[in-house]
Amino acid sequence: MPNTRKRATQSDVARLAGVSPAVVSTVIRGKSNHNIRVSDDTRLRVLEAMKQLNYVPDVVAQTLAGGKRRIIGLFSFEAVFPKEQNDFFRPFLLGVEKAAEANGYDLMLFTSAPVKNGRRAIYSDGINRLALADGVVLLGRNPAPEDLQRLDDEGFPFVYIGRKDAPGRSLSYVAGDYRRATFDVLEQFSEHGHRRVLYLGETKPIERHHDREAGYQDALARDLIDSDAALRHRRQADQLDAAWLDSVLAAGATAAVVEDILQAEQLYRLLTARGLNVPNDFTIGLLGEPDAPTDLNLDWCGFTIPREEMGFQAFISLLSRLERPMAKAAMQVTLPCTFHPGATLAPCPALTA
């Protein structure tokens, strides 16, 4: 559960470390000046005191009587800030920006975090860098779980764009309803006569993959498609080959729903190399929009993700958390996706034979 205790101050840290508040302030700024010089031993003692007190530095002067700076942070665990107009993450950021403008807040982009184990880290030397802002909107495919748990323990306000779980606790997020969206795709497959539908997923599934597979399970429960373990595979794109395709076709599959664009493209290549046509001989549904440049310029059947609205609602949810600082319940919002028929959906071949 979030810790709502009164946060430690620089004076508390100074007393525990046996130094002056000015020395603590110098350590937080990360460099000495001509008036105050801090030895390595003193710096380490101050950092240890910060860790013991779970100290979050307040390094920006308060600008409003209510104590809020009206600054919201935006932090990604990967380098996702867009460089191109058609970047997958750009609509998320546009939504956050629109919500900030509508509510009179400034945005602070955290883009130079230290990288640990391939991820950007929120904490450096035990200090929460995001404390420059009143709260933060988080995004990225692969967050550091320990950072999310520590933010939650500190009671620091954040909302994640995308569903994120943590052991033994609920985190605040805004996500697309991928479970319902996957069900909708399979409902369309069923209406086109497809009963034998392959589910092709990632080898290391995370929350968004589990949501999609739950939609597949819902379609099975509603008897829209056939239940068969031979039609549920988790393989990376480079593990898909002609022998694998033989096993899929032998199981009677006439369609597939695929979690990742690289898997979808490899399946397409294997089918066309076999002399089969997509979609007339085999239908493919991509469970979401491509989030990386692709080799094939195909209009995939699948669903569109409300990315801009997710960014907007993440910001609004964060403001709600800021207005209720003592609230312990996580704020979790799911937004509907929109079915997209695309050009890779066609009736089951058995119906047109």
Side-chain angles (χ1 to χ4, degrees):
M1 299 299 293
N3 186 350
T4 55
R5 295 176 303 174
K6 182 174 181 280
R7 294 181 183 179
T9 65
Q10 285 191 25
S11 295
D12 296 328
V13 173
R15 281 193 293 271
L16 182 60
V19 299
S20 70
V23 170
V24 175
S25 179
T26 299
V27 171
I28 291 172
R29 289 198 306 271
K31 58 183 179 180
S32 302
N33 57 42
H34 66 282
N35 294 319
I36 301 175
R37 298 190 179 278
V38 180
S39 68
D40 289 342
D41 287 344
T42 299
R43 177 178 174 276
L44 291 174
R45 196 162 71 247
V46 170
L47 292 174
E48 181 59 30
M50 290 180 183
K51 292 180 181 179
Q52 290 184 33
L53 294 172
N54 203 20
Y55 172 69
V56 179
D58 186 5
V59 293
V60 177
Q62 303 295 329
T63 57
L64 298 177
K68 293 291 188 293
R69 308 173 185 101
R70 301 191 75 80
I71 297 174
I72 294 298
L74 187 59
F75 177 88
S76 171
F77 287 92
E78 295 110 30
V80 300
F81 292 105
K83 299 179 177 63
E84 300 177 359
Q85 286 288 103
N86 63 348
D87 187 278
F88 179 79
F89 285 93
R90 186 171 183 269
F92 294 125
L93 306 182
L94 286 177
V96 173
E97 183 182 43
K98 286 183 179 180
E101 290 177 350
N103 290 276
Y105 275 75
D106 288 314
L107 284 177
M108 178 180 291
L109 305 183
F110 291 88
T111 59
S112 59
V115 176
K116 297 180 180 179
N117 299 321
R119 298 188 183 104
R120 287 177 171 172
I122 290 174
Y123 292 90
S124 178
D125 291 327
I127 297 174
N128 176 7
R129 303 173 65 254
L130 306 184
L132 292 162
D134 296 323
V136 67
V137 174
L138 300 174
L139 73 161
R141 299 179 185 87
N142 298 301
E146 62 276 11
D147 280 3
L148 298 182
Q149 293 180 31
R150 186 167 177 181
L151 284 178
D152 191 50
D153 287 339
E154 291 177 357
F156 185 79
F158 71 90
V159 174
Y160 213 103
I161 298 180
R163 184 169 74 85
K164 295 298 170 190
D165 298 326
R169 69 189 74 201
S170 295
L171 303 180
S172 295
Y173 62 76
V174 173
D177 190 351
Y178 303 136
R179 179 172 184 167
R180 177 68 203 197
T182 300
F183 178 88
D184 289 343
V185 171
L186 290 165
E187 188 173 45
Q188 290 293 322
F189 280 22
S190 178
E191 291 181 2
H192 282 72
H194 295 282
R195 293 283 308 180
R196 307 286 290 174
V197 181
L198 167 72
Y199 187 94
L200 181 55
E202 292 280 350
T203 55
K204 296 180 179 179
I206 58 176
E207 294 92 344
R208 64 177 182 269
H209 304 131
H210 293 312
D211 289 342
R212 288 161 165 82
E213 189 165 14
Y216 184 83
Q217 297 287 355
D218 291 343
L220 291 173
R222 291 278 297 274
D223 196 33
L224 296 180
I225 56 177
D226 293 335
S227 176
D228 191 334
L231 295 174
R232 302 184 209 179
H233 295 187
R234 286 202 170 275
R235 294 188 175 208
Q236 294 300 108
D238 60 7
Q239 297 173 322
L240 308 182
D241 55 22
W244 169 83
L245 181 61
D246 286 341
S247 70
V248 169
L249 297 177
T254 63
V257 286
V258 185
E259 288 180 354
D260 179 71
I261 180 63
L262 297 179
Q263 296 167 319
E265 291 193 338
Q266 178 63 4
L267 175 56
Y268 179 91
R269 292 189 186 96
L270 291 172
L271 289 164
T272 55
R274 185 66 59 86
L276 298 176
N277 176 269
V278 177
N280 294 327
D281 297 318
F282 198 97
T283 280
I284 301 176
L286 177 62
L287 300 181
E289 300 163 81
D291 59 0
T294 59
D295 295 332
L296 301 177
N297 186 24
L298 291 176
D299 180 19
W300 298 98
C301 170
F303 55 81
T304 58
I305 301 168
R307 291 176 287 169
E308 187 168 321
E309 186 179 358
M310 286 168 65
F312 191 96
Q313 289 298 327
F315 190 97
I316 297 304
S317 293
L318 180 58
L319 294 191
S320 296
R321 289 191 64 79
L322 292 174
E323 291 169 359
R324 301 184 301 122
M326 300 302 290
K328 296 182 179 181
M331 302 187 70
Q332 299 177 343
V333 179
T334 55
L335 300 175
C337 301
T338 303
F339 173 73
H340 176 68
T344 58
L345 169 63
C348 178
L351 299 181
T352 58

